[in-house]
Amino acid sequence: MANQDDQFKKVISHAKEYGYVFQSSEIYDGLSAVYDYGQNGVELKNNIRNYWWKAMVQMHENIVGIDAAIFMHPTTWKASGHVDAFNDPLIDNKDSKKRYRADVLIEDYVAKLDAKIEKEIKKASKRFGETFDEEQFVTTNPRVLGYKEKGTLALKRLAQALDNEELDKVKALIEELEIVCPVSGSKNWTDVKQFNLMFGTKLGASADSAMDLYLRPETAQGIFVNFLNVQKTGRMKIPFGIAQTGKAFRNEIVARQFIFRMREFEQMEMQFFIKPGTQKHWYEYWKKERLSWHNSLGLGESNFRFHDHEKLAHYADAACDIEFKFPFGFKELEGIHSRTDFDLSQHEKYTGKKLQYFDPEESKSYVPYVLETSIGLDRMFLAVFSNSLQEEELENGSRRVVLKLPAVLAPTKAAVLPLVKKDGLPEIAHKIVEDLKWEFNVQYDEKDAVGRRYRRQDAAGTPFCITIDHDTLADQTVTIRHRDSMKQQRVPISELKSLIKEQIDVKNWLMKMRS
Ligand code: ATP
């Protein structure tokens, strides 16, 4: 079995080979942690965004969308706390000259302990066979308990040190845990320093009158500053939400792991404005709702888990991540944050304007509390893509690489393949393409033997192949081949459209959230 690194390398090279993701400015040797989406990538990305938008905006009568600008008045970022507190603690290894996020070094150390626990469980489960009680094992086995305690304690001390801005203690912890630089293998560390993640730029032509601006590090603030505009013009009643998708920029210290951590990325965020005191209820509600959304795509329930934040951001009174099992382990995919009235109150303070809601039921005005769901579109892309890429051994002993993307998200829904390039078969195929392309993306492919074409479409993630053969001439039926099962089915041409639409219909997929 391929190890994690190999598997991840396969994901990256497959994404390139099949036109999903390219390194930005590759012909100039690329730009670190910046990526471009290719012809298939853009379709998958659009489909994920659309799937999110439909679930969040279209399916909720009390949620509307906006599209705010990337540039915002610079005081926004003073008010939001980003100028003063949007920092990551960085540390350098003096021997390799490599730079790391100090908190990530410690988290990786804990992840290694978790992996050891997993190993113990696997070993024990093998040893005890059917009588194995995992729950009992993890709560009583001394070795497992030892690893667990060590990890929990390390994370707790990290959270405390960061909360109190005691960076010397973060360094001390790294030394105490004997964490070594993965490159040089040495423990020769510099002190830990804070580093602000916002990109600065300038607005205006002349040097003296130019205004310092930031590229937004999150989309959320565009929603907060428009809270009253939307509430008033949309006559929105609390509870209500505002959703937005768009680019965000962070000067990440260590940008690795492909599109998991980028310097330019896209977020899909929703701020839900609620009555103060109801945040616990809505926090639970949105945790459940968002997890159901993920599960509706069928990526495997055991690949998701919640992770409560030890260290709360400056704005939050409760926060958790939905983590996904990426090829390099469980990592944050989405954040769910109870942001209290922090942001609106801060904007009130800095603008001198009231950002309040008059509650007709209570006959009083208040600054609403906010529940936020925030997911990275690129991370979701990586989750879907890496989970879908599989290598299978077939009955005849041959292997196939198949990208089992959920059909609702697949870039091309069907490929239309004439068995041969003559006898009128291409003409029928073209006619089918002409008809189907009004409904969804289809591709015509006549090159190579049909088996090769199937493999090509499997690897590109196309869920259906439609093959036109000589029988089609006589009875107007075609073969439809299903990517995942490789089953073939004979159907009349007239039924193709409805058959495929049924399988790719957003409604049918989102309905799974309710089941
Ligand atoms: P991390 O701890 O991984 O840096 P974060 O907690 O800073 O993430 P948030 O500020 O909560 O992330 O942002 C919400 C979502 O935006 C994240 O769950 C993630 O999916 C996405 N995201 C954040 N930073 C990046 C990045 N550099 N590249 C790609 N996606 C990102």
Side-chain angles (χ1 to χ4, degrees):
M1 210 177 74
N3 69 25
Q4 283 190 347
D5 271 359
D6 288 347
Q7 179 57 21
F8 192 35
K9 277 189 196 138
K10 277 189 189 157
V11 167
I12 297 170
S13 65
H14 196 88
K16 180 175 176 191
E17 193 180 339
Y18 285 87
Y20 278 88
V21 184
F22 306 127
Q23 173 83 59
S24 156
S25 345
E26 193 185 335
I27 57 169
Y28 287 97
D29 292 337
L31 187 62
S32 144
V34 186
Y35 291 90
D36 298 338
Y37 288 89
Q39 66 279 16
N40 280 324
V42 66
E43 298 287 345
L44 175 57
K45 202 172 163 200
N46 284 344
N47 291 343
I48 296 173
R49 194 191 295 105
N50 182 45
Y51 194 66
W52 181 88
W53 192 268
K54 286 231 156 114
M56 300 299 277
V57 180
Q58 190 172 326
M59 296 312 295
H60 287 97
E61 282 174 46
N62 59 350
I63 299 181
V64 292
I66 62 164
D67 182 19
I70 287 172
F71 289 142
M72 298 186 72
H73 192 284
T75 313
T76 309
W77 305 110
K78 194 77 197 142
S80 68
H82 283 83
V83 171
D84 297 321
F86 194 53
N87 301 317
D88 275 343
L90 68 85
I91 190 166
D92 293 297
N93 182 269
K94 290 185 197 160
D95 297 321
S96 67
K97 308 269 182 280
K98 288 275 173 206
R99 179 157 281 185
Y100 299 94
R101 258 176 68 177
D103 54 338
V104 171
L105 281 181
I106 295 169
E107 281 163 14
D108 284 352
Y109 169 86
V110 175
K112 277 190 196 136
L113 293 178
D114 286 343
K116 283 186 182 166
I117 295 177
E118 285 296 316
K119 236 180 174 171
E120 292 290 335
I121 296 174
K122 257 200 195 133
K123 250 178 26 197
S125 130
K126 239 190 196 160
R127 184 151 28 100
F128 294 111
E130 287 207 340
T131 59
F132 181 60
D133 180 343
E134 183 172 327
E135 173 83 25
Q136 196 198 355
F137 180 76
V138 294
T139 47
T140 54
N141 179 276
R143 211 171 295 159
V144 169
L145 289 176
Y147 290 142
K148 252 197 190 157
E149 197 187 323
K150 220 170 165 184
T152 315
L153 193 67
L155 290 179
K156 212 171 178 174
R157 285 176 59 190
L158 171 68
Q160 250 169 17
L162 290 176
D163 266 348
N164 303 333
E165 304 215 0
E166 296 169 320
L167 298 180
D168 49 332
K169 289 200 175 157
V170 178
K171 182 180 179 188
L173 186 58
I174 288 176
E175 285 173 338
E176 201 182 309
L177 298 173
E178 304 194 330
I179 295 175
V180 297
C181 166
V183 176
S184 67
S186 93
K187 291 181 234 163
N188 196 5
W189 297 108
T190 61
D191 286 343
V192 178
K193 286 193 284 277
Q194 291 288 19
F195 175 79
N196 193 288
L197 300 182
M198 282 197 294
F199 282 103
T201 183
K202 289 197 184 297
L203 177 142
S206 82
D208 1 310
S209 64
M211 189 182 194
D212 284 319
L213 286 191
Y214 295 106
L215 297 184
R216 66 179 178 198
E218 63 175 26
T219 56
Q221 297 305 324
I223 292 179
F224 290 124
V225 299
N226 279 298
F227 159 71
L228 266 193
N229 284 338
V230 174
Q231 191 271 319
K232 290 222 149 74
T233 57
R235 290 179 295 129
M236 308 302 291
K237 289 201 176 53
I238 271 175
F240 75 92
I242 304 177
Q244 170 168 230
T245 70
K247 286 278 171 94
F249 303 82
R250 296 182 187 179
N251 198 359
E252 299 280 1
I253 301 171
V254 232
R256 54 192 157 103
Q257 293 168 323
F258 195 39
I259 56 170
F260 179 81
R261 191 174 299 288
M262 302 155 94
R263 298 206 162 102
E264 172 179 343
F265 59 101
E266 190 164 338
Q267 289 186 313
M268 308 193 283
E269 296 198 300
M270 193 277 301
Q271 318 288 326
F272 202 63
F273 298 92
I274 56 176
K275 198 157 104 180
T278 62
Q279 66 268 33
K280 276 212 167 68
H281 164 76
W282 289 113
Y283 182 60
E284 293 307 324
Y285 173 88
W286 281 108
K287 272 173 76 172
K288 210 165 137 219
E289 187 76 3
R290 292 303 304 144
L291 187 64
S292 314
W293 181 84
H294 287 289
N295 282 331
S296 71
L297 287 170
L299 304 184
E301 296 197 4
S302 61
N303 289 323
F304 293 90
R305 71 180 188 197
F306 283 115
H307 173 254
D308 291 325
H309 284 199
E310 296 273 344
K311 176 186 186 299
L312 290 176
H314 56 276
Y315 51 75
D317 78 349
C320 69
D321 299 331
I322 296 178
E323 293 187 335
F324 181 75
K325 198 170 181 188
F326 288 97
F328 37 84
F330 272 102
K331 288 271 185 254
E332 169 175 350
L333 170 60
E334 171 159 11
I336 296 166
H337 310 129
S338 173
R339 286 179 86 121
T340 68
D341 60 358
F342 175 83
D343 302 86
L344 290 179
S345 297
Q346 283 293 100
H347 290 306
E348 277 198 330
K349 200 166 112 194
Y350 278 81
T351 59
K353 303 203 170 90
K354 270 199 156 44
L355 295 176
Q356 303 196 352
Y357 170 78
F358 178 76
D359 191 329
E361 278 166 26
E362 307 247 323
S363 292
K364 66 169 194 201
S365 294
Y366 54 77
V367 179
Y369 269 35
V370 170
L371 221 291
E372 165 183 84
T373 70
S374 173
I375 174 169
L377 175 48
D378 314 86
R379 273 194 201 175
M380 186 63 197
F381 185 111
L382 182 58
V384 171
F385 192 88
S386 59
N387 185 272
S388 302
L389 184 61
Q390 294 173 23
E391 215 175 313
E392 287 180 347
E393 193 165 326
L394 304 179
E395 272 171 21
N396 63 8
S398 68
R399 299 184 75 78
R400 73 161 180 162
V401 172
V402 52
L403 191 61
K404 293 186 169 176
L405 295 171
V408 65
L409 301 181
T412 302
K413 306 302 185 192
V416 185
L417 323 172
L419 191 62
V420 290
K421 281 188 248 177
K422 53 182 187 182
D423 304 337
L425 303 189
E427 286 74 11
I428 301 179
H430 280 303
K431 244 177 96 187
I432 293 175
V433 169
E434 281 305 307
D435 185 34
L436 295 183
K437 76 179 184 193
W438 291 89
E439 310 289 337
F440 41 78
N441 284 343
V442 276
Q443 222 176 57
Y444 175 86
D445 188 1
E446 62 173 23
K447 196 170 174 297
D448 300 323
V450 79
R452 294 264 309 260
R453 282 180 269 171
Y454 284 156
R455 289 290 175 278
R456 198 151 59 220
Q457 295 298 338
D458 285 347
T462 310
F464 304 102
C465 284
I466 299 160
T467 308
I468 291 91
D469 56 24
H470 290 94
D471 289 345
T472 310
L473 297 169
D475 62 7
Q476 298 294 302
T477 66
V478 292
T479 300
I480 182 160
R481 173 189 178 270
H482 297 253
R483 176 197 64 197
D484 298 350
S485 63
M486 298 196 293
K487 289 225 165 81
Q488 304 198 5
Q489 188 187 356
R490 198 78 195 170
V491 297
I493 293 174
S494 58
E495 284 175 21
L496 275 177
K497 198 184 295 179
S498 60
L499 198 149
I500 295 173
K501 272 175 88 172
E502 163 97 16
Q503 302 288 323
I504 60 167
D505 188 7
V506 174
K507 177 183 169 192
N508 290 339
W509 284 80
L510 280 180
M511 288 283 268
K512 295 180 196 163
M513 282 179 73
R514 308 277 165 252
S515 59

